[in-house]
Amino acid sequence: MTDQNKERKGRFSLGVLTGALSAMIIICGGAGAVRLFSEIRNGDYTSENVTESDVNEKLDQINGLIEDYYLYEDDIDEDALIDGIYSGYAEALGDPYTEYYDEEQTEALYESTSGEFSGIGATMSQNIDSGEISVSNVYEGSPADKAGLKQGDIIYQVDDHPTSGRDLETVVSWIKGKQGTDVVLHVLRGDEEIELTATRDIIEVQTVTSEMKDDQIGYIAVSEFDSVTYDQFAEALEDLETQGMQGLVIDLRGNPGGSLSTVTDMLQLLLPEGTIVSTKDKYGNTEEITCDGTHEFTRPLAVLVNQYSASASEIFSGAVQDYGTGTIVGMTTYGKGVVQQLMDLGDGTCLKITIAEYYTPNGRSINGTGVKPDVEVEYEYDEDDHEADNQLQKALEVVREEIGQE
């Protein structure tokens, strides 16, 4: 597996936790959740007639046993115990996409879906064997770039914190911080020890990359559908247009999803007039998001997907497939056809809850089945050429053939 494909797979694993399709509508107070808790406490929601007194009595019993017998009582985090009750309550629904987030997790969730954070604009990786933290990429014009940080630098200290023995997540948390504050990085560059000072700023995650391939075929890769993704996609599309693009490949492999509004806005730049996606909630209420067709993409198009393309990626590929405006290439997608909404619980925590199923323009539900490609191509790792990508080559071939037929 190439580094690129390992990154895609890792990104998908993270996406299942924090990047699943979200309507991104924040409802303050969480009144619905409060009502549900109340019904269960009052015995109105279960067949066993569990009352508030029963719940409190059992919790008191468990607490008493912990106080009397638990070996590591001094290490108990009471806040974590309470959050555990909320997490377990949501988890007991049996829905992998409905989750409770504590304050720290909520902050990280909102940051991940916005596509912006306060930091220095560099990505890092950790060597599994040595534990060294190295710089894998530096965003152009970022605080890290201005400070002189280079790809390949090994970070051995952040401010007065040595990185030896620390995991990557901890080191990254030291580097991130409030906008306008400084962070001192001590790095090894070859045999030279260098001290660099970077001033933290708001960093926009680059979720879209693009380039012009041979035969004037444009290529756009979208890693996730965050708030910043639409502008990046529109800019990439316009740039390729000005270069004389004759066809286009959009790569959604490993894309775990993201914002519903972002993916539908992006499809407004490609689809003909009609429905983009429709949703149906628990009450049978349906909602359609439509396209006016003013920006319909009429040149040859291929959309690359794989088994890690989920949620918003499936809305995108499913719509393109239903309208016949492009060819879907790769492997059958993940099969996540439900919508989540973030509910603000009013205390810095939130509940991400499944609220609806979604359907492609032709009324297909892909939940549990995924989007089956028009041209199925399984990824084959080439030991002689680590950069080889047979799936991408097939997508380019499909577009090239269509250009030749025009």
Side-chain angles (χ1 to χ4, degrees):
M1 182 179 289
T2 64
D3 290 341
Q4 182 182 32
N5 279 272
K6 287 179 181 177
E7 180 184 354
R8 284 179 177 138
K9 187 170 183 179
R11 188 168 59 227
F12 176 80
S13 299
L14 177 65
V16 171
L17 176 64
T18 63
L21 178 65
S22 167
M24 296 306 295
I25 300 171
I26 309 304
I27 300 177
C28 296
V34 172
R35 175 187 58 78
L36 188 56
F37 272 104
S38 177
E39 288 181 357
I40 289 179
R41 286 202 305 265
N42 294 332
D44 298 331
Y45 204 84
T46 71
S47 58
E48 299 192 13
N49 220 20
V50 177
T51 67
E52 181 178 2
S53 176
D54 293 332
V55 174
N56 289 335
E57 183 178 336
K58 194 161 189 175
L59 284 174
D60 287 341
Q61 184 182 9
I62 293 172
N63 274 324
L65 291 171
I66 290 173
E67 289 176 1
D68 290 343
Y69 298 106
Y70 184 59
L71 180 61
Y72 304 109
E73 184 180 3
D74 292 341
D75 297 330
I76 292 175
D77 184 336
E78 293 184 0
D79 290 336
L81 286 178
I82 294 171
D83 279 330
I85 294 173
Y86 305 142
S87 296
Y89 193 82
E91 186 178 346
L93 292 172
D95 175 14
Y97 309 118
T98 294
E99 298 178 81
Y100 168 81
Y101 293 84
D102 63 23
E103 288 188 61
E104 184 176 339
Q105 292 167 334
T106 296
E107 184 178 355
L109 175 63
Y110 285 149
E111 182 179 279
S112 70
T113 53
S114 72
E116 294 183 334
F117 63 93
S118 180
I120 64 169
T123 56
M124 296 156 203
S125 60
Q126 186 167 30
N127 185 290
I128 296 175
D129 297 321
S130 67
E132 288 181 340
I133 307 292
S134 61
V135 178
S136 52
N137 185 40
V138 177
Y139 293 0
E140 185 177 353
S142 67
D145 186 28
K146 294 174 182 176
L149 195 66
K150 304 291 184 184
Q151 182 179 0
D153 285 350
I154 295 172
I155 301 176
Y156 67 87
Q157 184 174 317
V158 178
D159 290 328
D160 57 352
H161 306 296
T163 63
S164 179
R166 298 291 188 168
D167 58 52
L168 181 61
E169 184 177 307
T170 299
V171 174
V172 169
S173 71
W174 290 340
I175 296 173
K176 286 183 177 180
K178 188 176 180 180
Q179 182 182 12
T181 60
D182 290 340
V183 58
V184 180
L185 304 176
H186 301 263
V187 306
L188 287 174
R189 187 175 297 163
D191 296 327
E192 186 180 4
E193 294 185 2
I194 304 173
E195 181 179 307
L196 306 171
T197 300
T199 303
R200 299 178 178 100
D201 205 347
I202 299 300
I203 305 299
E204 183 177 291
V205 177
Q206 195 64 37
T207 61
V208 174
T209 58
S210 64
E211 63 176 297
M212 186 69 80
K213 300 288 189 179
D214 293 340
D215 301 316
Q216 293 299 100
I217 300 175
Y219 172 78
I220 301 178
V222 183
S223 62
E224 52 194 310
F225 294 93
D226 293 339
S227 299
V228 299
T229 307
Y230 171 80
D231 287 340
Q232 294 176 3
F233 180 78
E235 182 179 347
L237 196 59
E238 183 179 0
D239 180 58
L240 291 171
E241 293 276 15
T242 60
Q243 294 182 54
M245 173 175 59
Q246 298 299 307
L248 176 63
V249 173
I250 298 176
D251 191 347
L252 302 181
R253 289 176 296 174
N255 184 320
S259 167
L260 176 61
S261 61
T262 296
V263 68
T264 53
D265 285 348
M266 289 167 62
L267 286 168
Q268 295 273 4
L269 301 176
L270 300 171
L271 295 182
E273 183 178 2
T275 299
I276 297 174
V277 66
S278 61
T279 62
K280 181 186 291 186
D281 67 16
K282 65 184 290 184
Y283 302 106
N285 298 319
T286 60
E287 179 180 349
E288 286 190 354
I289 300 175
T290 60
C291 179
D292 61 16
T294 56
H295 302 287
E296 181 181 356
F297 190 83
T298 56
R299 271 154 290 176
L301 169 68
V303 178
L304 259 176
V305 295
N306 63 8
Q307 61 270 39
Y308 306 116
S309 304
S311 202
S313 294
E314 295 173 291
I315 287 179
F316 193 107
S317 53
V320 168
Q321 187 176 60
D322 277 7
Y323 280 108
T325 56
T327 303
I328 310 303
V329 179
M331 299 296 291
T332 300
T333 61
Y334 183 76
K336 181 179 179 292
V338 288
V339 181
Q340 281 70 53
Q341 189 163 306
L342 301 181
M343 306 288 192
D344 185 348
L345 299 178
D347 60 354
T349 67
C350 77
L351 183 71
K352 185 183 74 180
I353 185 170
T354 299
I355 62 165
E357 291 187 359
Y358 71 76
Y359 301 87
T360 69
N362 286 350
R364 289 187 294 159
S365 170
I366 56 84
N367 200 36
T369 58
V371 175
K372 185 177 180 179
D374 303 307
V375 179
E376 186 170 335
V377 184
E378 187 172 359
Y379 177 77
E380 296 176 359
Y381 177 62
D382 188 339
E383 292 186 356
D384 297 324
D385 183 1
H386 296 182
E387 299 301 316
D389 188 340
N390 65 302
Q391 289 179 320
L392 174 58
Q393 289 307 311
K394 186 61 179 179
L396 292 169
E397 178 186 319
V398 166
V399 172
R400 192 175 294 115
E401 289 177 355
E402 292 186 14
I403 291 173
Q405 293 170 3
E406 289 187 338

